[in-house]
mmCIF file of all heavy atoms in Angstrom:
data_model
loop_
_atom_site.group_PDB
_atom_site.id
_atom_site.type_symbol
_atom_site.label_atom_id
_atom_site.label_comp_id
_atom_site.label_asym_id
_atom_site.label_seq_id
_atom_site.Cartn_x
_atom_site.Cartn_y
_atom_site.Cartn_z
ATOM 1 N N LEU L 18 -6.721 13.541 19.269
ATOM 2 C CA LEU L 18 -7.345 12.317 18.740
ATOM 3 C C LEU L 18 -6.964 12.095 17.276
ATOM 4 O O LEU L 18 -6.886 10.957 16.803
ATOM 5 C CB LEU L 18 -8.870 12.389 18.882
ATOM 6 C CG LEU L 18 -9.420 12.479 20.317
ATOM 7 C CD1 LEU L 18 -10.944 12.482 20.297
ATOM 8 C CD2 LEU L 18 -8.908 11.328 21.180
ATOM 9 N N LEU L 89 -5.445 20.031 26.739
ATOM 10 C CA LEU L 89 -5.637 18.568 26.664
ATOM 11 C C LEU L 89 -6.557 18.082 27.791
ATOM 12 O O LEU L 89 -6.280 17.056 28.438
ATOM 13 C CB LEU L 89 -4.288 17.833 26.703
ATOM 14 C CG LEU L 89 -3.371 18.043 25.493
ATOM 15 C CD1 LEU L 89 -2.080 17.247 25.624
ATOM 16 C CD2 LEU L 89 -4.077 17.648 24.182
ATOM 17 N N GLY L 90 -7.616 18.840 28.036
ATOM 18 C CA GLY L 90 -8.648 18.410 28.979
ATOM 19 C C GLY L 90 -8.092 18.092 30.347
ATOM 20 O O GLY L 90 -7.311 18.875 30.907
ATOM 21 N N ARG L 91 -8.489 16.925 30.868
ATOM 22 C CA ARG L 91 -8.051 16.563 32.221
ATOM 23 C C ARG L 91 -6.893 15.568 32.219
ATOM 24 O O ARG L 91 -6.673 14.854 33.191
ATOM 25 C CB ARG L 91 -9.246 15.996 32.994
ATOM 26 C CG ARG L 91 -10.301 17.066 33.164
ATOM 27 C CD ARG L 91 -11.521 16.637 33.927
ATOM 28 N NE ARG L 91 -12.601 17.545 33.581
ATOM 29 C CZ ARG L 91 -13.881 17.272 33.680
ATOM 30 N NH1 ARG L 91 -14.277 16.095 34.147
ATOM 31 N NH2 ARG L 91 -14.789 18.166 33.331
ATOM 32 N N THR L 92 -6.196 15.481 31.100
ATOM 33 C CA THR L 92 -5.023 14.600 31.066
ATOM 34 C C THR L 92 -3.907 15.251 31.865
ATOM 35 O O THR L 92 -3.936 16.455 32.126
ATOM 36 C CB THR L 92 -4.496 14.398 29.626
ATOM 37 O OG1 THR L 92 -4.151 15.681 29.103
ATOM 38 C CG2 THR L 92 -5.540 13.764 28.739
ATOM 39 N N LEU L 200 -18.876 11.707 18.821
ATOM 40 C CA LEU L 200 -18.377 10.635 19.692
ATOM 41 C C LEU L 200 -19.154 10.758 20.997
ATOM 42 O O LEU L 200 -19.143 11.812 21.631
ATOM 43 C CB LEU L 200 -16.890 10.845 19.956
ATOM 44 C CG LEU L 200 -16.193 9.799 20.816
ATOM 45 C CD1 LEU L 200 -15.932 8.529 20.002
ATOM 46 C CD2 LEU L 200 -14.866 10.335 21.356
ATOM 47 N N SER L 202 -20.375 9.622 25.010
ATOM 48 C CA SER L 202 -19.684 9.129 26.211
ATOM 49 C C SER L 202 -19.788 7.603 26.265
ATOM 50 O O SER L 202 -18.885 6.941 26.791
ATOM 51 C CB SER L 202 -20.197 9.798 27.478
ATOM 52 O OG SER L 202 -21.542 10.052 27.400
ATOM 53 N N VAL L 205 -16.852 6.267 24.432
ATOM 54 C CA VAL L 205 -15.627 6.359 25.233
ATOM 55 C C VAL L 205 -15.602 5.233 26.264
ATOM 56 O O VAL L 205 -14.560 4.610 26.498
ATOM 57 C CB VAL L 205 -15.517 7.759 25.896
ATOM 58 C CG1 VAL L 205 -14.339 7.832 26.857
ATOM 59 C CG2 VAL L 205 -15.387 8.833 24.820
ATOM 60 N N GLU L 206 -16.759 4.922 26.829
ATOM 61 C CA GLU L 206 -16.808 3.820 27.805
ATOM 62 C C GLU L 206 -16.563 2.474 27.117
ATOM 63 O O GLU L 206 -15.923 1.588 27.675
ATOM 64 C CB GLU L 206 -18.129 3.840 28.587
ATOM 65 C CG GLU L 206 -18.229 5.022 29.562
ATOM 66 C CD GLU L 206 -16.878 5.400 30.222
ATOM 67 O OE1 GLU L 206 -16.241 4.526 30.848
ATOM 68 O OE2 GLU L 206 -16.430 6.563 30.091
ATOM 69 N N ARG L 207 -17.050 2.332 25.880
ATOM 70 C CA ARG L 207 -16.764 1.097 25.118
ATOM 71 C C ARG L 207 -15.249 0.908 24.987
ATOM 72 O O ARG L 207 -14.729 -0.186 25.225
ATOM 73 C CB ARG L 207 -17.432 1.180 23.735
ATOM 74 C CG ARG L 207 -16.864 0.204 22.715
ATOM 75 C CD ARG L 207 -17.604 0.251 21.402
ATOM 76 N NE ARG L 207 -16.752 -0.169 20.301
ATOM 77 C CZ ARG L 207 -17.098 -0.106 19.022
ATOM 78 N NH1 ARG L 207 -18.284 0.349 18.668
ATOM 79 N NH2 ARG L 207 -16.287 -0.522 18.074
ATOM 80 N N LEU L 208 -14.543 1.970 24.653
ATOM 81 C CA LEU L 208 -13.083 1.864 24.529
ATOM 82 C C LEU L 208 -12.440 1.528 25.861
ATOM 83 O O LEU L 208 -11.446 0.800 25.925
ATOM 84 C CB LEU L 208 -12.489 3.182 24.004
ATOM 85 C CG LEU L 208 -12.765 3.525 22.542
ATOM 86 C CD1 LEU L 208 -12.222 4.908 22.210
ATOM 87 C CD2 LEU L 208 -12.141 2.486 21.609
ATOM 88 N N ASN L 209 -13.036 2.033 26.931
ATOM 89 C CA ASN L 209 -12.437 1.823 28.255
ATOM 90 C C ASN L 209 -12.621 0.412 28.805
ATOM 91 O O ASN L 209 -12.176 0.120 29.906
ATOM 92 C CB ASN L 209 -12.908 2.901 29.228
ATOM 93 C CG ASN L 209 -11.987 4.112 29.159
ATOM 94 O OD1 ASN L 209 -10.934 4.139 29.796
ATOM 95 N ND2 ASN L 209 -12.333 5.080 28.318
ATOM 96 N N ARG L 210 -13.227 -0.466 28.005
ATOM 97 C CA ARG L 210 -13.235 -1.887 28.394
ATOM 98 C C ARG L 210 -11.869 -2.525 28.085
ATOM 99 O O ARG L 210 -11.569 -3.620 28.536
ATOM 100 C CB ARG L 210 -14.376 -2.627 27.688
ATOM 101 C CG ARG L 210 -15.761 -2.175 28.192
ATOM 102 C CD ARG L 210 -16.837 -3.204 27.900
ATOM 103 N NE ARG L 210 -17.254 -3.173 26.505
ATOM 104 C CZ ARG L 210 -18.273 -2.435 26.025
ATOM 105 N NH1 ARG L 210 -18.998 -1.708 26.846
ATOM 106 N NH2 ARG L 210 -18.588 -2.476 24.762
ATOM 107 N N ILE L 211 -11.057 -1.807 27.287
ATOM 108 C CA ILE L 211 -9.735 -2.341 26.927
ATOM 109 C C ILE L 211 -8.724 -1.967 28.007
ATOM 110 O O ILE L 211 -8.757 -0.846 28.536
ATOM 111 C CB ILE L 211 -9.243 -1.725 25.598
ATOM 112 C CG1 ILE L 211 -10.319 -1.795 24.529
ATOM 113 C CG2 ILE L 211 -7.961 -2.368 25.116
ATOM 114 C CD1 ILE L 211 -10.006 -0.941 23.319
ATOM 115 N N SER L 213 -5.632 -0.649 28.587
ATOM 116 C CA SER L 213 -4.565 0.127 27.942
ATOM 117 C C SER L 213 -4.666 1.559 28.467
ATOM 118 O O SER L 213 -5.771 2.021 28.787
ATOM 119 C CB SER L 213 -4.777 0.100 26.422
ATOM 120 O OG SER L 213 -4.200 1.224 25.817
ATOM 121 N N PRO L 214 -3.559 2.268 28.553
ATOM 122 C CA PRO L 214 -3.652 3.684 29.003
ATOM 123 C C PRO L 214 -4.327 4.592 27.971
ATOM 124 O O PRO L 214 -4.757 5.694 28.303
ATOM 125 C CB PRO L 214 -2.185 4.089 29.204
ATOM 126 C CG PRO L 214 -1.357 3.039 28.558
ATOM 127 C CD PRO L 214 -2.177 1.808 28.374
ATOM 128 N N ILE L 215 -4.442 4.114 26.730
ATOM 129 C CA ILE L 215 -4.961 5.001 25.676
ATOM 130 C C ILE L 215 -6.451 5.334 25.860
ATOM 131 O O ILE L 215 -6.832 6.500 25.793
ATOM 132 C CB ILE L 215 -4.619 4.431 24.281
ATOM 133 C CG1 ILE L 215 -3.103 4.603 24.097
ATOM 134 C CG2 ILE L 215 -5.390 5.126 23.165
ATOM 135 C CD1 ILE L 215 -2.511 3.956 22.908
ATOM 136 N N PRO L 216 -7.331 4.362 26.111
ATOM 137 C CA PRO L 216 -8.730 4.728 26.335
ATOM 138 C C PRO L 216 -8.928 5.659 27.532
ATOM 139 O O PRO L 216 -9.769 6.556 27.492
ATOM 140 C CB PRO L 216 -9.418 3.386 26.576
ATOM 141 C CG PRO L 216 -8.536 2.394 25.906
ATOM 142 C CD PRO L 216 -7.151 2.912 26.048
ATOM 143 N N LYS L 217 -8.123 5.472 28.558
ATOM 144 C CA LYS L 217 -8.233 6.372 29.710
ATOM 145 C C LYS L 217 -7.823 7.786 29.283
ATOM 146 O O LYS L 217 -8.448 8.779 29.654
ATOM 147 C CB LYS L 217 -7.343 5.875 30.864
ATOM 148 C CG LYS L 217 -7.530 6.736 32.077
ATOM 149 C CD LYS L 217 -6.677 6.357 33.258
ATOM 150 C CE LYS L 217 -6.849 7.334 34.414
ATOM 151 N NZ LYS L 217 -6.808 8.739 34.094
ATOM 152 N N PHE L 218 -6.767 7.856 28.471
ATOM 153 C CA PHE L 218 -6.339 9.150 27.921
ATOM 154 C C PHE L 218 -7.494 9.783 27.128
ATOM 155 O O PHE L 218 -7.775 10.977 27.266
ATOM 156 C CB PHE L 218 -5.102 8.961 27.024
ATOM 157 C CG PHE L 218 -4.785 10.171 26.203
ATOM 158 C CD1 PHE L 218 -4.077 11.226 26.747
ATOM 159 C CD2 PHE L 218 -5.233 10.270 24.883
ATOM 160 C CE1 PHE L 218 -3.809 12.364 26.001
ATOM 161 C CE2 PHE L 218 -4.970 11.401 24.130
ATOM 162 C CZ PHE L 218 -4.253 12.451 24.694
ATOM 163 N N ILE L 219 -8.184 8.973 26.319
ATOM 164 C CA ILE L 219 -9.287 9.513 25.497
ATOM 165 C C ILE L 219 -10.403 10.042 26.409
ATOM 166 O O ILE L 219 -10.968 11.103 26.164
ATOM 167 C CB ILE L 219 -9.807 8.443 24.507
ATOM 168 C CG1 ILE L 219 -8.697 8.116 23.498
ATOM 169 C CG2 ILE L 219 -11.081 8.909 23.802
ATOM 170 C CD1 ILE L 219 -9.022 6.992 22.528
ATOM 171 N N ARG L 220 -10.666 9.307 27.485
ATOM 172 C CA ARG L 220 -11.704 9.761 28.422
ATOM 173 C C ARG L 220 -11.299 11.107 29.043
ATOM 174 O O ARG L 220 -12.096 12.043 29.105
ATOM 175 C CB ARG L 220 -11.903 8.720 29.522
ATOM 176 C CG ARG L 220 -13.068 9.056 30.438
ATOM 177 C CD ARG L 220 -12.962 8.262 31.725
ATOM 178 N NE ARG L 220 -13.566 6.942 31.618
ATOM 179 C CZ ARG L 220 -13.085 5.846 32.243
ATOM 180 N NH1 ARG L 220 -11.995 5.916 32.988
ATOM 181 N NH2 ARG L 220 -13.703 4.693 32.121
ATOM 182 N N ASP L 221 -10.028 11.220 29.446
ATOM 183 C CA ASP L 221 -9.566 12.451 30.106
ATOM 184 C C ASP L 221 -9.458 13.622 29.132
ATOM 185 O O ASP L 221 -9.777 14.756 29.469
ATOM 186 C CB ASP L 221 -8.195 12.224 30.763
ATOM 187 C CG ASP L 221 -8.291 11.261 31.938
ATOM 188 O OD1 ASP L 221 -9.409 11.031 32.437
ATOM 189 O OD2 ASP L 221 -7.234 10.733 32.351
ATOM 190 N N VAL L 222 -8.979 13.328 27.925
ATOM 191 C CA VAL L 222 -8.757 14.434 26.978
ATOM 192 C C VAL L 222 -10.092 15.004 26.491
ATOM 193 O O VAL L 222 -10.185 16.191 26.152
ATOM 194 C CB VAL L 222 -7.838 14.006 25.800
ATOM 195 C CG1 VAL L 222 -8.587 13.309 24.670
ATOM 196 C CG2 VAL L 222 -7.064 15.196 25.250
ATOM 197 N N THR L 223 -11.133 14.172 26.464
ATOM 198 C CA THR L 223 -12.430 14.652 25.965
ATOM 199 C C THR L 223 -13.342 15.149 27.095
ATOM 200 O O THR L 223 -14.435 15.643 26.823
ATOM 201 C CB THR L 223 -13.173 13.548 25.181
ATOM 202 O OG1 THR L 223 -13.270 12.380 26.001
ATOM 203 C CG2 THR L 223 -12.496 13.209 23.871
ATOM 204 N N ALA L 224 -12.907 15.033 28.360
ATOM 205 C CA ALA L 224 -13.808 15.318 29.486
ATOM 206 C C ALA L 224 -14.345 16.758 29.458
ATOM 207 O O ALA L 224 -15.568 16.975 29.514
ATOM 208 C CB ALA L 224 -13.100 15.026 30.803
ATOM 209 N N ASP L 225 -13.449 17.758 29.342
ATOM 210 C CA ASP L 225 -13.907 19.160 29.341
ATOM 211 C C ASP L 225 -14.689 19.471 28.065
ATOM 212 O O ASP L 225 -15.683 20.195 28.089
ATOM 213 C CB ASP L 225 -12.703 20.108 29.443
ATOM 214 C CG ASP L 225 -12.038 19.998 30.795
ATOM 215 O OD1 ASP L 225 -12.758 19.946 31.809
ATOM 216 O OD2 ASP L 225 -10.794 19.935 30.843
ATOM 217 N N TYR L 226 -14.191 18.905 26.980
ATOM 218 C CA TYR L 226 -14.815 19.087 25.669
ATOM 219 C C TYR L 226 -16.275 18.578 25.707
ATOM 220 O O TYR L 226 -17.196 19.246 25.248
ATOM 221 C CB TYR L 226 -13.980 18.248 24.707
ATOM 222 C CG TYR L 226 -13.953 18.688 23.272
ATOM 223 C CD1 TYR L 226 -13.943 20.027 22.924
ATOM 224 C CD2 TYR L 226 -13.901 17.736 22.245
ATOM 225 C CE1 TYR L 226 -13.891 20.409 21.588
ATOM 226 C CE2 TYR L 226 -13.845 18.110 20.924
ATOM 227 C CZ TYR L 226 -13.842 19.455 20.598
ATOM 228 O OH TYR L 226 -13.800 19.820 19.276
ATOM 229 N N MET L 227 -16.446 17.408 26.319
ATOM 230 C CA MET L 227 -17.794 16.835 26.402
ATOM 231 C C MET L 227 -18.688 17.653 27.340
ATOM 232 O O MET L 227 -19.880 17.792 27.092
ATOM 233 C CB MET L 227 -17.721 15.387 26.865
ATOM 234 C CG MET L 227 -17.183 14.466 25.782
ATOM 235 S SD MET L 227 -17.558 12.759 26.129
ATOM 236 C CE MET L 227 -16.992 11.966 24.631
#
Side-chain angles (χ1 to χ4, degrees):
L18 297 182
L89 293 181
R91 296 181 201 157
T92 59
L200 182 76
S202 35
V205 174
E206 290 324 304
R207 162 176 154 187
L208 289 175
N209 272 277
R210 292 201 283 268
I211 311 167
S213 154
I215 289 172
K217 184 181 176 314
F218 168 82
I219 294 175
R220 186 197 274 145
D221 292 343
V222 84
T223 54
D225 292 317
Y226 207 37
M227 287 197 174

